[in-house]
mmCIF file of all heavy atoms in Angstrom:
data_model
loop_
_atom_site.group_PDB
_atom_site.id
_atom_site.type_symbol
_atom_site.label_atom_id
_atom_site.label_comp_id
_atom_site.label_asym_id
_atom_site.label_seq_id
_atom_site.Cartn_x
_atom_site.Cartn_y
_atom_site.Cartn_z
ATOM 1 N N PRO A 1 0.798 -1.168 0.026
ATOM 2 C CA PRO A 1 0.031 0.016 0.003
ATOM 3 C C PRO A 1 0.833 1.243 -0.017
ATOM 4 O O PRO A 1 0.313 2.406 -0.283
ATOM 5 C CB PRO A 1 -0.793 -0.118 1.296
ATOM 6 C CG PRO A 1 -0.025 -1.081 2.143
ATOM 7 C CD PRO A 1 0.608 -2.058 1.201
ATOM 8 N N LEU A 2 2.167 1.193 0.339
ATOM 9 C CA LEU A 2 2.927 2.452 0.291
ATOM 10 C C LEU A 2 3.437 2.691 -1.105
ATOM 11 O O LEU A 2 3.752 3.915 -1.315
ATOM 12 C CB LEU A 2 4.145 2.259 1.301
ATOM 13 C CG LEU A 2 3.740 1.915 2.723
ATOM 14 C CD1 LEU A 2 5.098 1.741 3.539
ATOM 15 C CD2 LEU A 2 3.020 3.136 3.262
ATOM 16 N N THR A 3 3.630 1.843 -1.941
ATOM 17 C CA THR A 3 4.156 1.938 -3.282
ATOM 18 C C THR A 3 3.492 3.001 -4.076
ATOM 19 O O THR A 3 4.102 3.973 -4.638
ATOM 20 C CB THR A 3 4.351 0.684 -4.004
ATOM 21 O OG1 THR A 3 5.203 -0.183 -3.350
ATOM 22 C CG2 THR A 3 4.863 0.846 -5.468
ATOM 23 N N PHE A 4 2.272 2.835 -4.148
ATOM 24 C CA PHE A 4 1.488 3.825 -4.871
ATOM 25 C C PHE A 4 1.556 5.225 -4.445
ATOM 26 O O PHE A 4 1.739 6.186 -5.197
ATOM 27 C CB PHE A 4 -0.151 3.395 -4.941
ATOM 28 C CG PHE A 4 -0.904 4.337 -5.785
ATOM 29 C CD1 PHE A 4 -0.970 4.286 -7.188
ATOM 30 C CD2 PHE A 4 -1.735 5.153 -5.153
ATOM 31 C CE1 PHE A 4 -1.763 5.064 -7.940
ATOM 32 C CE2 PHE A 4 -2.563 6.079 -5.936
ATOM 33 C CZ PHE A 4 -2.549 6.101 -7.244
ATOM 34 N N ILE A 5 1.377 5.432 -3.173
ATOM 35 C CA ILE A 5 1.439 6.826 -2.525
ATOM 36 C C ILE A 5 2.834 7.348 -2.728
ATOM 37 O O ILE A 5 3.038 8.525 -3.130
ATOM 38 C CB ILE A 5 1.123 6.825 -1.082
ATOM 39 C CG1 ILE A 5 -0.372 6.281 -0.960
ATOM 40 C CG2 ILE A 5 1.267 8.189 -0.515
ATOM 41 C CD1 ILE A 5 -1.363 7.239 -1.637
ATOM 42 N N ILE A 6 3.875 6.581 -2.566
ATOM 43 C CA ILE A 6 5.307 6.962 -2.655
ATOM 44 C C ILE A 6 5.529 7.474 -4.187
ATOM 45 O O ILE A 6 6.120 8.530 -4.335
ATOM 46 C CB ILE A 6 6.243 5.915 -2.426
ATOM 47 C CG1 ILE A 6 6.260 5.690 -0.875
ATOM 48 C CG2 ILE A 6 7.727 6.299 -2.863
ATOM 49 C CD1 ILE A 6 7.158 4.493 -0.395
ATOM 50 N N ASN A 7 4.929 6.705 -5.074
ATOM 51 C CA ASN A 7 5.191 6.977 -6.472
ATOM 52 C C ASN A 7 4.390 8.353 -6.817
ATOM 53 O O ASN A 7 4.892 9.184 -7.627
ATOM 54 C CB ASN A 7 4.645 5.976 -7.367
ATOM 55 C CG ASN A 7 5.494 4.697 -7.429
ATOM 56 O OD1 ASN A 7 6.555 4.856 -6.887
ATOM 57 N ND2 ASN A 7 5.017 3.577 -7.806
ATOM 58 N N GLN A 8 3.211 8.580 -6.122
ATOM 59 C CA GLN A 8 2.445 9.697 -6.527
ATOM 60 C C GLN A 8 3.100 10.967 -5.876
ATOM 61 O O GLN A 8 2.969 12.100 -6.465
ATOM 62 C CB GLN A 8 0.934 9.646 -5.978
ATOM 63 C CG GLN A 8 0.209 8.400 -6.704
ATOM 64 C CD GLN A 8 0.389 8.568 -8.187
ATOM 65 O OE1 GLN A 8 -0.076 9.535 -8.807
ATOM 66 N NE2 GLN A 8 0.825 7.455 -8.777
ATOM 67 N N VAL A 9 3.643 10.892 -4.675
ATOM 68 C CA VAL A 9 4.426 11.951 -4.071
ATOM 69 C C VAL A 9 5.572 12.369 -4.928
ATOM 70 O O VAL A 9 5.821 13.580 -5.194
ATOM 71 C CB VAL A 9 4.937 11.546 -2.644
ATOM 72 C CG1 VAL A 9 5.852 12.633 -2.175
ATOM 73 C CG2 VAL A 9 3.755 11.480 -1.718
ATOM 74 N N ARG A 10 6.316 11.447 -5.528
ATOM 75 C CA ARG A 10 7.330 11.821 -6.410
ATOM 76 C C ARG A 10 6.827 12.393 -7.742
ATOM 77 O O ARG A 10 7.557 13.257 -8.325
ATOM 78 C CB ARG A 10 8.133 10.478 -6.738
ATOM 79 C CG ARG A 10 9.039 10.000 -5.562
ATOM 80 C CD ARG A 10 9.583 8.679 -5.756
ATOM 81 N NE ARG A 10 10.504 8.294 -4.711
ATOM 82 C CZ ARG A 10 10.771 6.898 -4.381
ATOM 83 N NH1 ARG A 10 10.262 5.934 -5.190
ATOM 84 N NH2 ARG A 10 11.676 6.742 -3.502
ATOM 85 N N GLU A 11 5.712 11.967 -8.203
ATOM 86 C CA GLU A 11 5.137 12.603 -9.415
ATOM 87 C C GLU A 11 4.824 14.060 -9.282
ATOM 88 O O GLU A 11 5.305 14.791 -10.155
ATOM 89 C CB GLU A 11 3.875 11.831 -9.710
ATOM 90 C CG GLU A 11 3.901 10.381 -10.345
ATOM 91 C CD GLU A 11 4.502 10.434 -11.685
ATOM 92 O OE1 GLU A 11 4.263 11.337 -12.406
ATOM 93 O OE2 GLU A 11 5.290 9.498 -11.981
ATOM 94 N N VAL A 12 4.259 14.487 -8.169
ATOM 95 C CA VAL A 12 3.918 15.893 -7.941
ATOM 96 C C VAL A 12 5.150 16.700 -7.447
ATOM 97 O O VAL A 12 5.208 17.869 -7.796
ATOM 98 C CB VAL A 12 2.700 15.986 -7.045
ATOM 99 C CG1 VAL A 12 1.514 15.280 -7.567
ATOM 100 C CG2 VAL A 12 3.045 15.465 -5.648
ATOM 101 N N VAL A 13 6.117 16.119 -6.711
ATOM 102 C CA VAL A 13 7.132 16.855 -6.156
ATOM 103 C C VAL A 13 8.345 16.844 -7.122
ATOM 104 O O VAL A 13 8.938 17.917 -7.351
ATOM 105 C CB VAL A 13 7.499 16.378 -4.768
ATOM 106 C CG1 VAL A 13 8.690 17.197 -4.155
ATOM 107 C CG2 VAL A 13 6.338 16.621 -3.785
ATOM 108 N N ILE A 14 8.775 15.660 -7.438
ATOM 109 C CA ILE A 14 10.167 15.471 -8.057
ATOM 110 C C ILE A 14 9.933 15.668 -9.611
ATOM 111 O O ILE A 14 10.625 16.433 -10.253
ATOM 112 C CB ILE A 14 10.647 14.114 -7.895
ATOM 113 C CG1 ILE A 14 10.877 13.839 -6.372
ATOM 114 C CG2 ILE A 14 11.974 13.982 -8.579
ATOM 115 C CD1 ILE A 14 11.781 14.726 -5.718
ATOM 116 N N TRP A 15 8.921 14.988 -10.244
ATOM 117 C CA TRP A 15 8.782 15.120 -11.659
ATOM 118 C C TRP A 15 7.800 16.238 -12.159
ATOM 119 O O TRP A 15 7.877 16.545 -13.406
ATOM 120 C CB TRP A 15 8.284 13.702 -12.165
ATOM 121 C CG TRP A 15 8.878 12.580 -11.605
ATOM 122 C CD1 TRP A 15 8.339 11.499 -10.945
ATOM 123 C CD2 TRP A 15 10.368 12.164 -11.791
ATOM 124 N NE1 TRP A 15 9.252 10.649 -10.621
ATOM 125 C CE2 TRP A 15 10.539 11.094 -11.073
ATOM 126 C CE3 TRP A 15 11.335 12.884 -12.270
ATOM 127 C CZ2 TRP A 15 11.820 10.400 -11.001
ATOM 128 C CZ3 TRP A 15 12.707 12.318 -12.160
ATOM 129 C CH2 TRP A 15 12.851 11.124 -11.464
ATOM 130 N N GLY A 16 7.008 16.782 -11.296
ATOM 131 C CA GLY A 16 6.190 17.965 -11.768
ATOM 132 C C GLY A 16 5.067 17.521 -12.548
ATOM 133 O O GLY A 16 4.523 18.291 -13.321
ATOM 134 N N ARG A 17 4.536 16.192 -12.380
ATOM 135 C CA ARG A 17 3.438 15.771 -13.153
ATOM 136 C C ARG A 17 2.171 15.650 -12.186
ATOM 137 O O ARG A 17 2.318 15.487 -10.995
ATOM 138 C CB ARG A 17 3.706 14.418 -13.800
ATOM 139 C CG ARG A 17 4.876 14.483 -14.806
ATOM 140 C CD ARG A 17 5.065 13.105 -15.560
ATOM 141 N NE ARG A 17 5.446 12.133 -14.671
ATOM 142 C CZ ARG A 17 6.757 11.607 -14.878
ATOM 143 N NH1 ARG A 17 7.631 12.197 -15.661
ATOM 144 N NH2 ARG A 17 7.177 10.705 -14.114
ATOM 145 N N LEU A 18 0.980 15.555 -12.896
ATOM 146 C CA LEU A 18 -0.214 15.410 -12.125
ATOM 147 C C LEU A 18 -0.272 13.986 -11.612
ATOM 148 O O LEU A 18 0.259 12.996 -12.216
ATOM 149 C CB LEU A 18 -1.440 15.661 -12.966
ATOM 150 C CG LEU A 18 -1.611 17.149 -13.433
ATOM 151 C CD1 LEU A 18 -2.804 17.248 -14.461
ATOM 152 C CD2 LEU A 18 -1.938 17.968 -12.150
ATOM 153 N N PRO A 19 -0.922 13.716 -10.451
ATOM 154 C CA PRO A 19 -0.943 12.351 -9.995
ATOM 155 C C PRO A 19 -2.058 11.534 -10.755
ATOM 156 O O PRO A 19 -2.742 12.068 -11.586
ATOM 157 C CB PRO A 19 -1.521 12.592 -8.455
ATOM 158 C CG PRO A 19 -2.248 13.861 -8.573
ATOM 159 C CD PRO A 19 -1.616 14.767 -9.574
ATOM 160 N N ASP A 20 -1.972 10.284 -10.459
ATOM 161 C CA ASP A 20 -3.047 9.350 -11.086
ATOM 162 C C ASP A 20 -4.334 9.502 -10.398
ATOM 163 O O ASP A 20 -4.576 8.885 -9.294
ATOM 164 C CB ASP A 20 -2.396 7.924 -10.941
ATOM 165 C CG ASP A 20 -3.381 6.908 -11.533
ATOM 166 O OD1 ASP A 20 -4.441 7.275 -12.030
ATOM 167 O OD2 ASP A 20 -3.033 5.648 -11.606
ATOM 168 N N TRP A 21 -5.190 10.328 -10.899
ATOM 169 C CA TRP A 21 -6.483 10.598 -10.234
ATOM 170 C C TRP A 21 -7.375 9.325 -10.003
ATOM 171 O O TRP A 21 -7.947 9.111 -9.044
ATOM 172 C CB TRP A 21 -7.260 11.703 -10.951
ATOM 173 C CG TRP A 21 -6.592 12.991 -10.951
ATOM 174 C CD1 TRP A 21 -6.099 13.781 -12.002
ATOM 175 C CD2 TRP A 21 -6.284 13.885 -9.731
ATOM 176 N NE1 TRP A 21 -5.530 14.915 -11.570
ATOM 177 C CE2 TRP A 21 -5.594 15.043 -10.245
ATOM 178 C CE3 TRP A 21 -6.604 13.784 -8.466
ATOM 179 C CZ2 TRP A 21 -5.239 16.119 -9.460
ATOM 180 C CZ3 TRP A 21 -6.094 14.798 -7.509
ATOM 181 C CH2 TRP A 21 -5.513 15.908 -8.080
ATOM 182 N N ALA A 22 -7.464 8.493 -11.068
ATOM 183 C CA ALA A 22 -8.191 7.411 -10.996
ATOM 184 C C ALA A 22 -7.655 6.437 -9.974
ATOM 185 O O ALA A 22 -8.457 5.900 -9.085
ATOM 186 C CB ALA A 22 -8.191 6.609 -12.377
ATOM 187 N N GLY A 23 -6.356 6.267 -9.896
ATOM 188 C CA GLY A 23 -5.664 5.345 -8.849
ATOM 189 C C GLY A 23 -5.885 5.996 -7.487
ATOM 190 O O GLY A 23 -6.168 5.210 -6.592
ATOM 191 N N LEU A 24 -5.850 7.232 -7.267
ATOM 192 C CA LEU A 24 -6.025 7.856 -5.993
ATOM 193 C C LEU A 24 -7.493 7.618 -5.611
ATOM 194 O O LEU A 24 -7.813 7.477 -4.352
ATOM 195 C CB LEU A 24 -5.791 9.399 -6.075
ATOM 196 C CG LEU A 24 -4.306 9.761 -5.953
ATOM 197 C CD1 LEU A 24 -4.148 11.255 -6.014
ATOM 198 C CD2 LEU A 24 -3.708 9.364 -4.597
ATOM 199 N N GLY A 25 -8.460 7.751 -6.540
ATOM 200 C CA GLY A 25 -9.927 7.479 -6.220
ATOM 201 C C GLY A 25 -10.116 6.075 -5.739
ATOM 202 O O GLY A 25 -10.809 5.906 -4.636
ATOM 203 N N ILE A 26 -9.532 5.057 -6.402
ATOM 204 C CA ILE A 26 -9.623 3.783 -5.967
ATOM 205 C C ILE A 26 -9.010 3.393 -4.601
ATOM 206 O O ILE A 26 -9.592 2.845 -3.666
ATOM 207 C CB ILE A 26 -9.048 2.776 -7.029
ATOM 208 C CG1 ILE A 26 -9.838 2.914 -8.384
ATOM 209 C CG2 ILE A 26 -9.013 1.345 -6.594
ATOM 210 C CD1 ILE A 26 -9.228 2.106 -9.483
ATOM 211 N N TYR A 27 -7.821 4.070 -4.498
ATOM 212 C CA TYR A 27 -7.132 3.969 -3.197
ATOM 213 C C TYR A 27 -7.930 4.593 -2.109
ATOM 214 O O TYR A 27 -7.928 4.013 -0.875
ATOM 215 C CB TYR A 27 -5.757 4.697 -3.320
ATOM 216 C CG TYR A 27 -4.777 4.330 -2.259
ATOM 217 C CD1 TYR A 27 -3.677 3.486 -2.528
ATOM 218 C CD2 TYR A 27 -4.836 4.826 -0.918
ATOM 219 C CE1 TYR A 27 -2.662 3.177 -1.545
ATOM 220 C CE2 TYR A 27 -3.934 4.532 -0.011
ATOM 221 C CZ TYR A 27 -2.835 3.764 -0.223
ATOM 222 O OH TYR A 27 -1.925 3.368 0.689
#
């Protein structure tokens, strides 16, 4: 359960991309 959130934190902070909204909704 930590992998997805860790990846999304890196998306918005490190890579400057929008998170996976569908994945966040399911999560």
Side-chain angles (χ1 to χ4, degrees):
L2 297 181
T3 293
F4 178 77
I5 297 299
I6 289 172
N7 290 343
Q8 298 312 301
V9 168
R10 287 171 176 155
E11 286 289 326
V12 299
V13 175
I14 306 297
W15 312 122
R17 297 191 287 254
L18 291 174
D20 179 359
W21 294 115
L24 279 176
I26 296 173
Y27 196 104

